[in-house]
Amino acid sequence: MAQTYHIITFGCQMNKNDSEHLAGMLEFNGAKHTAEPEAADILVLNTCAVRDKAERRVYGQLAKYNFLRQKNNSGQKLFLSGCMPAYNKTELQKAAPFLDGFLDIEEARQYPPRRENSPEVWVTIMQGCNNFCAYCIVPRARGRERSRTAEDILAEINKIDFTGRAVLFLLGQNVNSYAGTFNGQPLSFPALLQLILTKCPAVPKLAFLTSHPKDMTDALLEVIAREPRIDRELHLPAQSGSDRILALMNRGYTAAQYRALTARIRARAPDVQLSTDIIAGFPTETEAEFEDSCRLVRETGFFRVNTAGYSARRGTAAAQMPRLEQKIVDARLNKINQLINSLKSAHT
Ligand code: SAH
Ligand code: SF4
Ligand code: F3S
C-alpha cells in the first residue's frame, strides 16, 4: 500500500510554496496526501526560525506528534524541513534525537509543486538575502541571493491553470533586488514584471513579496503605475521610524527617506495601498525612538501593520547588542498594537 504524508507549514509564503514542492517530491516518490497529521506515515514540519516564538511552536508540535506516534505505536516517520534545520541542525538533533531526518528544500525544488487550492498561487523567483539586517536570521537560514532565470520562471507560470485563481504572487526574501537573466542578458525586477505581464495573458493579477524600501526604484514604480494588472496592495516593511535604530538595524534608509518613498509611490500610483512591518523593542531603543515608530504608523496611513516584539537570534549582529528588558519589549508591542487597532476603528 502507498505511504501517506502530511505537511504542517509554519512561517511565510515562501515556506508555503516550499511545502508545495515538498509535497511534489513526496508524491513523485509514491506517497499520497492525507488530511490527518496523526494518521500519516510521513509527517513533515516545515519550520520557521524568524522569532523565538516561531521556534517554540515547532518544538511544541514536535513533542506532540512524537508522543502521539509512540502512544499509537504508529511507526510514523517524523521529518523536519525549512529554516530551523537550515541554520541549527546540530542543536535540533540534540533537542529532538527522535527525529527521523531532514528534508532539503533545494532538493524538493527540483520537483513540480503540488499546488494548494487557493485563490493565491505562488512562484518563487529568487531566494536568499544579502542584506543582513542586524536582527534577522533569514540570510543565515536561506543563504545568499539567488535569482532564477526568466525562462525558468515563465515556464513555471505557463504550466499553471489559472481557473479559480485570483492572483499570482512572485516570492523572494527581497523580491525587488531580483537580478536574473533573459536570453543570457541581465534582467531587473521591473523588467521581469513587464515580461510576465506581456508573455502570460492568463495571469489575472500580479503581486510580489517582500519588497525592500531601498530597492524601490523609479523604474519599478513606473511599471506599477502603468500596469493595472499589478496588485494595488504593496508591502513595504519599515521596521522602525527612528534613524538611529534604522542604522543599527542596517536597513539602509532613514525615516525621512522611507516617508519620501511612500509619498513618491502615492504620487505615481495614488490607488496603491501600503502595508508594513514594525519591530518593537529593538536593542537600546529608547521610549522616544519607539514613539518615532508610532508616529510613522500614525502618519503614513497603512492598510495593515504587522508588528513583532524584538526576538534575539543567535549569530545575528543584534544578538551582541544590549537588550531591553522583556517587559519593556512586551509593553511597547502592546502599545503599538493598541495604536493600530485604534487607527483601524477610526477608519470603519
Ligand atoms: N524579507 C522580508 C521578511 C523578513 S522576516 C523583509 O525584509 O521584510 C518578516 C518580518 O519579521 C520582518 O519584516 C521583521 O519585521 C520581522 N522580524 C525578523 N526578524 C525578527 C526578530 N529577530 N525579532 C522580531 N521580529 C523580526
Ligand atoms: Fe531579513 Fe533584512 Fe533580508 Fe528581510 S531584508 S530577509 S529582514 S535580512
Ligand atoms: Fe520565512 Fe520564517 Fe524562514 S519567515 S524565510 S520561514 S525564518
Side-chain angles (χ1 to χ4, degrees):
M1 214 176 68
Q3 295 218 302
T4 58
Y5 75 90
H6 185 92
I7 303 173
I8 303 177
T9 308
F10 303 82
C12 61
Q13 263 88 350
M14 172 88 72
N15 259 24
K16 291 188 194 171
N17 182 233
D18 287 343
S19 285
E20 296 179 323
H21 288 278
L22 286 165
M25 178 170 76
L26 292 165
E27 299 213 347
F28 183 87
N29 288 298
K32 294 266 172 295
H33 179 256
T34 168
E36 290 296 321
E38 209 183 317
D41 300 314
I42 301 165
L43 180 61
V44 184
L45 305 190
N46 191 12
T47 64
C48 172
V50 79
R51 284 181 287 275
D52 186 51
K53 204 160 90 189
E55 294 201 327
R56 281 207 309 268
R57 213 174 286 144
V58 170
Y59 277 115
Q61 294 289 299
L62 255 183
K64 170 181 160 186
Y65 287 107
N66 187 43
F67 170 79
L68 285 173
R69 69 176 181 169
Q70 283 169 345
K71 190 179 112 197
N72 303 337
N73 200 12
S74 66
Q76 181 180 69
K77 298 268 187 257
L78 207 43
F79 291 98
L80 236 56
S81 191
C83 286
M84 279 172 72
Y87 91 101
N88 73 351
K89 212 178 248 179
T90 344
E91 188 179 311
L92 270 169
Q93 273 161 329
K94 236 183 267 162
F98 52 81
L99 275 174
D100 292 290
F102 300 96
L103 298 187
D104 184 51
I105 295 298
E106 296 292 330
E107 193 189 333
R109 288 207 154 271
Q110 313 292 313
Y111 295 85
R114 175 193 184 270
R115 295 194 188 275
E116 296 284 330
N117 235 333
S118 79
E120 293 181 4
V121 57
W122 306 297
V123 169
T124 295
I125 63 162
M126 60 89 68
Q127 287 193 78
C129 183
N130 295 346
N131 289 325
F132 288 91
C133 300
Y135 49 82
C136 186
I137 196 69
V138 170
R140 281 165 187 83
R142 294 274 177 175
R144 296 301 81 74
E145 287 179 6
R146 284 123 31 227
S147 294
R148 295 173 69 194
T149 66
E151 284 86 348
D152 261 12
I153 296 166
L154 291 171
E156 184 176 340
I157 295 172
N158 283 327
K159 278 194 205 113
I160 299 172
D161 175 4
F162 282 96
T163 318
R165 307 284 196 179
V167 52
L168 168 64
F169 269 92
L170 305 179
L171 302 181
Q173 265 81 34
N174 193 13
V175 79
N176 55 346
S177 77
Y178 171 87
T181 56
F182 184 54
N183 288 330
Q185 299 298 311
L187 189 76
S188 69
F189 183 60
L192 175 71
L193 292 178
Q194 194 60 73
L195 190 66
I196 293 172
L197 289 167
T198 312
K199 299 237 173 203
C200 312
V203 171
K205 202 188 259 183
L206 192 58
F208 46 87
L209 279 173
T210 298
S211 301
H212 196 300
K214 74 170 171 48
D215 298 318
M216 290 301 295
T217 58
D218 283 328
L220 177 50
L221 294 189
E222 190 69 28
V223 176
I224 296 173
R226 189 173 61 219
E227 287 291 347
R229 278 158 74 211
I230 293 184
D231 195 23
R232 299 288 97 178
E233 295 185 354
L234 184 64
H235 188 56
L236 206 56
Q239 312 299 1
S240 170
S242 148
D243 289 348
R244 192 185 70 90
I245 296 299
L246 284 168
L248 278 181
M249 285 177 164
N250 191 30
R251 288 293 290 178
Y253 52 85
T254 62
Q257 283 168 331
Y258 184 89
R259 285 170 199 264
L261 173 60
T262 62
R264 209 149 46 89
I265 293 169
R266 289 190 164 130
R268 295 286 302 128
D271 52 348
V272 165
Q273 299 193 66
L274 298 173
S275 58
T276 202
D277 295 348
I278 298 283
I279 298 176
F282 186 80
T284 77
E285 181 188 70
T286 65
E287 200 60 39
E289 287 164 341
F290 167 68
E291 286 300 329
D292 287 338
S293 293
C294 294
R295 202 154 48 82
L296 181 74
V297 166
R298 251 193 321 266
E299 292 173 0
T300 311
F302 297 106
F303 80 92
R304 195 183 63 242
V305 183
N306 306 321
T307 57
Y310 170 74
S311 168
R313 309 279 69 209
R314 198 159 23 84
T316 61
Q320 310 294 322
M321 301 175 190
R323 268 157 79 183
L324 301 177
E325 277 178 67
Q326 190 58 42
K327 66 170 196 277
I328 296 180
V329 176
D330 294 343
R332 287 184 190 168
L333 179 59
N334 241 324
K335 197 166 168 195
I336 196 162
N337 284 340
Q338 275 176 18
L339 166 68
I340 292 158
N341 279 331
S342 71
L343 293 174
K344 238 187 264 162
S345 42
H347 276 290
T348 48

